[in-house]
Amino acid sequence: MNFTISQDLFRTMLDAVPALLFVVDDDLHLIECNQAAAALLQQPRESILRRRGGEVLRCLHAKDSPAGCGRGEECRHCLIRQSVKEAYAGNRVVRRRAHLQLENGAQPRQFYCLVTATPFDYEHHRLVLLVLEDISQLTELQRIVPICMNCRKVRDDDEYWRSVESYFNRHWDLRFSHGLCPECTRKELEKLNRELPPNA
């Protein structure tokens, strides 16, 4: 099949990706984004272009300085901004874990993501493809799973206590392999030595 790759194909491909995709400059101004990003931001694509990422994402620290995103004290520690800076210098950043606090009414929304930043040149300009993979749900699970301090069973949403293995298998389709850590191996060997007769 012969066909010419068009702008429409690239737009369709970008919009088909479920991760949040942004094309940004060195100061995190949004040049372009895909449909998943626009949906998260709940704004038309045209209204967010040319604005800085922190302002569009509604990062709590974007308003720390009157000059906006990237100018406040906390912005120096922003992993997204650092990743874009590294990519702009020609290095590729792959799946770094970041945590943002986003405006969400009275209570800030905790947003955890994996950040990938890849440099590319377009019409004699250096740009960065910024990919944010939302892992907030996984991180929240990590933080709030109630576990029995005695038997190590996990309580699920139905108030039913399950083994750790069955809980993760049911909720995340994860399976476990089993082994013994060095400390437990030592304890089990000591236990066996005590239970075996001396001449066995």
Side-chain angles (χ1 to χ4, degrees):
M1 175 189 298
N2 280 337
F3 60 89
T4 306
I5 295 178
S6 67
Q7 290 290 107
D8 288 342
L9 176 61
F10 284 119
R11 162 57 51 201
T12 303
M13 286 169 48
L14 284 175
D15 287 341
V17 177
L20 314 178
L21 299 180
F22 302 94
V23 175
V24 298
D25 67 10
D26 63 329
D27 194 22
L28 220 61
H29 287 103
L30 302 184
I31 310 299
E32 190 55 85
C33 71
N34 70 344
Q35 213 168 38
L40 171 85
L41 302 172
Q42 297 176 341
Q43 300 174 52
R45 216 173 86 248
E46 297 73 28
S47 71
I48 62 177
L49 300 182
R50 290 302 190 201
R51 293 172 56 202
R52 290 191 197 114
E55 294 157 6
V56 171
L57 287 168
R58 295 185 293 277
C59 172
L60 285 183
H61 300 295
K63 296 179 180 174
D64 286 356
S65 165
C69 171
R71 306 306 185 265
E73 182 62 30
E74 287 295 319
C75 297
R76 293 188 310 132
H77 309 291
C78 174
L79 198 133
I80 293 175
R81 191 164 277 281
Q82 289 171 3
S83 299
V84 167
K85 185 176 180 180
E86 274 186 57
Y88 205 78
N91 302 313
R92 189 168 185 227
V93 174
V94 179
R95 303 188 94 201
R96 281 191 187 154
R97 187 174 168 155
H99 171 228
L100 298 169
Q101 290 186 303
L102 307 180
E103 289 179 19
N104 188 35
Q107 193 71 10
R109 176 182 168 213
Q110 306 304 312
F111 181 71
Y112 295 88
C113 62
L114 297 178
V115 179
T116 298
T118 305
F120 68 98
D121 293 318
Y122 180 73
E123 294 183 352
H124 309 295
H125 295 284
R126 172 59 53 98
L127 297 170
V128 171
L129 178 64
L130 176 65
V131 182
L132 303 181
E133 297 173 74
D134 186 355
I135 58 167
S136 300
Q137 195 175 28
L138 287 173
T139 306
E140 284 302 311
L141 173 71
Q142 225 176 7
R143 293 172 53 215
I144 62 170
V145 173
I147 188 166
C148 174
M149 60 188 258
N150 187 41
C151 70
R152 302 289 187 223
K153 285 184 181 170
V154 175
R155 189 180 71 219
D156 66 14
D157 297 337
D158 300 324
E159 299 293 318
Y160 183 79
W161 290 90
R162 303 179 178 278
S163 70
V164 171
E165 293 91 341
S166 67
Y167 178 87
F168 280 95
N169 180 268
R170 182 174 185 215
H171 290 278
W172 297 98
D173 196 28
L174 293 174
R175 287 170 178 70
F176 289 78
S177 63
H178 291 89
L180 286 173
C181 72
E183 186 179 340
C184 289
T185 300
R186 182 182 50 76
K187 286 179 183 175
E188 287 299 315
L189 286 173
E190 288 173 1
K191 186 174 156 188
L192 278 172
N193 286 335
R194 282 193 306 271
E195 292 173 358
L196 288 173
N199 296 328

